[in-house]
Amino acid sequence: MMKKILITKIAILISVMLYAQTDVLPPQLVFPANEAVKQMPDTELDWYASAGVGEVTYRVELDEDAGFSNPVVYNTELSSKKLENLFFGHTYYWHVKAIDDTGESEWSDSYSFTVISRIVPNKP
């Protein structure tokens, strides 16, 4: 009898824990590393995928202002985003949020990177 009660309590506890964990977690940024320098103007942003309910998509914000006052917004189903036409010598800030069938995560940490100042040919 005690064994059945214990098993029932464990099953209820597991059910509650699984049900309570429906929020999608914010992505974890991978590349470029925070405060990276000498990045190419077509760098690729990369982050670890988030687990969620149903299909998970991502919203990426990129801005030259750390407060994201005028961001360029990208939506993607991938856990990376290839950028293009970034300005030489500029510093950019970026963060990502995950979106699933139940809602959206908080924003990830914000990282920054600086694009190389110029391309120097190694041959004349």
Side-chain angles (χ1 to χ4, degrees):
M1 179 72 167
M2 289 297 286
K3 192 174 183 180
K4 287 183 181 180
I5 293 173
L6 181 61
I7 291 173
T8 303
K9 287 183 178 182
I10 290 172
I12 291 171
L13 180 62
I14 290 172
S15 299
V16 168
M17 288 174 57
L18 289 174
Y19 182 75
Q21 188 60 37
T22 58
D23 293 338
V24 61
L25 297 175
Q28 186 177 16
L29 306 184
V30 177
F31 184 83
N34 193 24
E35 300 180 357
V37 295
K38 299 183 181 177
Q39 299 301 300
M40 296 302 289
D42 65 345
T43 194
E44 185 169 353
L45 305 178
D46 192 19
W47 56 91
Y48 290 124
S50 295
V53 176
E55 181 181 353
V56 177
T57 59
Y58 301 95
R59 180 172 301 128
V60 181
E61 287 187 346
L62 178 75
D63 202 331
E64 291 186 67
D65 173 33
F68 295 93
S69 60
N70 190 28
V72 175
V73 178
Y74 303 98
N75 293 301
T76 180
E77 296 174 357
L78 305 174
S79 61
S80 65
K81 175 62 182 161
K82 180 80 169 176
L83 302 175
E84 55 187 36
N85 301 325
L86 298 178
F87 293 110
F88 287 95
H90 286 230
T91 298
Y92 291 92
Y93 300 87
W94 65 291
H95 59 194
V96 182
K97 72 167 43 180
I99 303 163
D100 72 359
D101 293 347
T102 63
E104 52 188 52
S105 73
E106 298 293 322
W107 286 105
S108 67
D109 292 336
S110 295
Y111 277 15
S112 67
F113 65 92
T114 302
V115 177
I116 60 174
S117 296
R118 61 188 172 121
I119 296 176
V120 179
N122 60 2
K123 295 183 180 180

